[in-house]
Amino acid sequence: LELVTIPASQMFLYMLGGLCVEGLTIGIWNFYHSLNWSRSCVETDMFGECLRSRGFCSTDNPWSIIAPIVAIHVGTMIYALYICYLCRDLPESFAEVKWITTAMFSNLQ
């Protein structure tokens, strides 16, 4: 059994990398498939001024926006479950693999 320590700076780089991947994905969507905002008046007063309005975003192809982010998140969760699987034989006193795996399965649902 070998003790492995991951410094906080290395973990920060992993987190920053994941954030950059998601930011890049969102940036590409905004450039190629921007969402259209539309707003309509629901209620007006006697002078024709809008009292309440309803707005929403729409796009021609929503799956071009939804599918990549779902794929990134599911891929990340499957990788985390794989790491939990690799750690399954560690003694309970060294790792809480059972609880981490349970949390990963819960997140995957």
Side-chain angles (χ1 to χ4, degrees), residues 9-26:
S9 59
Q10 184 178 0
M11 184 55 76
F12 177 74
L13 289 177
Y14 289 137
M15 292 168 50
L16 185 63
L19 185 63
C20 286
V21 167
E22 288 210 20
L24 182 65
T25 306
I26 291 170

Side-chain angles (χ1 to χ4, degrees), residues 77 80-88 96-108:
M77 293 301 300
L81 286 171
Y82 173 71
I83 291 174
C84 288
Y85 174 76
L86 293 177
C87 297
R88 72 189 183 281
E96 297 180 355
V97 177
K98 182 174 91 174
W99 300 112
I100 294 171
T101 304
T102 304
M104 289 297 107
F105 270 119
S106 176
N107 287 333
L108 192 58

